[in-house]
Amino acid sequence: MAELRPSGAPGPTAPAPGPTAPPAFASLFPPGLHAIYGECRRLYPDQPNPLQVTAIVKYWLGGPDPLDYVSMYRNVGSPSANIPEHWHYISFGLSDLYGDNRVHEFTGTDGPSGFGFELTFRLKRETGESAPPTWPAELMQGLARYVFQSENTFCSGDHVSWHSPLDNSESRIQHMLLTEDPQMQPVQTPFGVVTFLQIVGVCTEELHSAQQWNGQGILELLRTVPIAGGPWLITDMRRGETIFEIDPHLQERVDKGIETDGSNLSGVSAKCAWDDLSRPPEDDEDSRSICIGTQPRRLSGKDTEQIRETLRRGLEINSKPVLPPINPQRQNGLAHDRAPSRKDSLESDSSTAIIPHELIRTRQLESVHLKFNQESGALIPLCLRGRLLHGRHFTYKSITGDMAITFVSTGVEGAFATEEHPYAAHGPWLQILLTEEFVEKMLEDLEDLTSPEEFKLPKEYSWPEKKLKVSILPDVVFDSPLH
């Protein structure tokens, strides 16, 4: 639940917090909040009290909305630079606003504040519109919930598959890319640094191009098309054409980029599963699990962190792709460059459900069966052509159970799958090493996956000589507790 009200930013009727401010006002403007307000006032000195969507019950009091506030400003743009008038939305809550551990643990001033960023969004103002629509605030809350629940942070160039018009209309704008806000500058708060990531609404075809190539490349193309975003990447929910329909030559640039660079997408959360065909599924030594009492198989905290690091580092363009090592010095599944002490999103509330990492041995498998839903399966050609043929890796992390599948090429260091033993499992994490020759063969056989609407489910592919089977299955299969 949220309400719309003027913000409590210091204005003509309220003294700004400071050494001489009354205690009551100082308590209303905690330092983290005040620092972000300061950046907003720099940009909008004539709007000291913008309209604001406020969480009625704050997250730290048990409410459902992680963002305490979303402020909404009117930006006049710059017609001469093809920047239209628009509404500018700014979130408060992904960073540490309070510094008293009510939401984020304070870890010092040198690192990130909270998750290290806030979200922004720029929506084209419609003719005659006197007040900003409030639906973007709920969109931002949805993204914030994902961050808080998964602890996966966003970076510039990331994409979000939303599969629905952002404003619940009939719009073609149904997905998002993220980029640096063109006006908001990083803020140094008493609790760390805060940057500002802007949400950019895109069409399905633009999302797919970002997946197959990279988000930054598509963002640059969007900047060159005024009606598709322009220099400040302003979202127009009434846009009815993709950038490729507006300018067909842009598709050639994407195709050339894919051929030259491959894909920057290093992994996805997906509906997927795998089976070890080397032994009967009822075998107590199932490669995907270690049984401790009646607890289900789980990824250990260190495996989880390595997968996260694999996904995070895979977004960087490295000359030598490396799977980060499982570092015994890391504690609680946390890397040195992340805010510590948040509970691992894959761990149960009961510590007895956490399988000690040392008890899970790496096993080589003879034969495996991979299972994907249709959406995940459609990304296999991207995984093979855009990642493995460029010497990289790609990870599917199950959203319906504790399981992960990482494809690696022979150029990736740090993998526990090898050319001698191409299928290897560490608990429920499977790695598959594919040679370039086999990747080319798979791409030929999986060609129809690029047009999944043309085949019926279930669909099965098999390479008996490699002892590998891949099935594309209906979503309902993955909703079973067995997966």
Side-chain angles (χ1 to χ4, degrees), residues 26-41:
S27 65
L28 289 175
F29 297 98
L33 188 68
H34 183 53
I36 300 175
Y37 272 145
E39 177 61 11
C40 294
R41 287 195 298 273

Side-chain angles (χ1 to χ4, degrees), residues 165 167-174 237:
D167 61 351
N168 294 317
S169 67
E170 299 298 318
S171 175
R172 290 186 70 176
I173 308 299
Q174 302 189 10
M237 294 303 298

Side-chain angles (χ1 to χ4, degrees), residues 78-370:
S78 176
S80 62
N82 286 319
I83 299 170
E85 189 171 358
H86 58 278
W87 304 109
H88 192 191
Y89 300 76
I90 302 168
S91 78
F92 295 80
L94 285 161
S95 64
D96 191 351
L97 304 179
Y98 304 97
D100 58 5
N101 298 323
R102 71 180 72 180
V103 179
H104 305 279
E105 182 172 341
F106 175 61
T107 58
T109 60
D110 295 335
S113 169
F115 287 107
F117 69 96
E118 293 289 353
L119 293 170
T120 74
F121 182 60
R122 295 175 186 267
L123 177 67
K124 183 180 177 182
R125 177 178 171 268
E126 300 296 337
T127 303
E129 205 169 45
S130 59
T134 57
W135 63 261
E138 181 51 38
L139 182 74
M140 296 165 89
Q141 290 284 14
L143 292 178
R145 289 186 201 104
Y146 165 78
V147 172
F148 272 83
Q149 291 167 10
S150 71
E151 295 190 350
N152 293 326
T153 57
F154 292 125
C155 300
S156 179
D158 282 356
H159 73 269
V160 178
S161 304
W162 200 250
H163 300 292
S164 177
L166 304 188
D167 61 351
N168 294 317
S169 67
E170 299 298 318
S171 175
R172 290 186 70 176
I173 308 299
Q174 302 189 10
H175 308 280
M176 293 166 270
L177 298 178
L178 290 128
T179 188
E180 296 93 349
D181 189 285
Q183 288 187 294
M184 302 287 285
Q185 298 176 1
V187 172
Q188 176 67 59
T189 79
F191 315 127
V193 178
V194 181
T195 59
F196 297 90
L197 284 179
Q198 180 176 313
I199 300 163
V200 181
V202 296
C203 303
T204 299
E205 296 83 351
E206 294 155 358
L207 172 82
H208 289 165
S209 293
Q211 292 175 329
Q212 293 163 9
W213 183 23
N214 62 70
Q216 295 290 5
I218 300 304
L219 288 164
E220 285 303 315
L221 297 184
L222 289 166
R223 289 187 177 97
T224 68
V225 182
I227 63 175
W232 288 5
L233 294 170
I234 296 164
T235 299
D236 180 0
M237 294 303 298
R238 294 179 181 268
R239 174 160 69 96
E241 293 180 303
T242 71
I243 56 173
F244 309 114
E245 293 165 339
I246 297 168
D247 183 354
H249 295 293
L250 296 181
Q251 185 62 57
E252 298 174 10
R253 292 176 60 181
V254 172
D255 293 341
K256 185 177 180 180
I258 294 171
E259 181 180 352
T260 304
D261 306 328
S263 173
N264 251 19
L265 181 65
S266 63
V268 292
S269 296
K271 289 189 175 181
C272 63
W274 64 272
D275 287 325
D276 176 10
L277 300 182
S278 310
R279 57 180 62 203
E282 67 272 10
D283 193 323
D284 288 338
E285 293 293 323
D286 189 310
S287 70
R288 296 162 299 170
S289 65
I290 269 194
C291 295
I292 296 180
T294 59
Q295 296 296 340
R297 59 179 179 260
R298 304 191 65 81
L299 286 170
S300 73
K302 290 180 181 178
D303 276 340
T304 299
E305 179 57 27
Q306 185 174 0
I307 292 171
R308 285 180 178 166
E309 286 286 276
T310 296
L311 297 180
R312 183 182 66 81
R313 295 191 186 185
L315 294 174
E316 303 168 1
I317 300 176
N318 297 319
S319 59
K320 198 173 192 180
V322 175
L323 282 170
I326 298 173
N327 186 346
Q329 310 242 327
R330 295 181 184 176
Q331 298 179 354
N332 302 323
L334 299 160
H336 67 278
D337 56 351
R338 296 199 52 170
S341 81
R342 294 197 175 91
K343 184 175 77 68
D344 193 309
S345 61
L346 289 176
E347 292 176 1
S348 165
D349 289 332
S350 168
S351 61
T352 59
I354 303 171
I355 298 175
H357 180 270
E358 294 75 12
L359 295 181
I360 306 177
R361 69 186 188 278
T362 299
R363 283 212 314 114
Q364 285 77 43
L365 315 180
E366 294 297 322
S367 178
V368 294
H369 181 194
L370 311 181

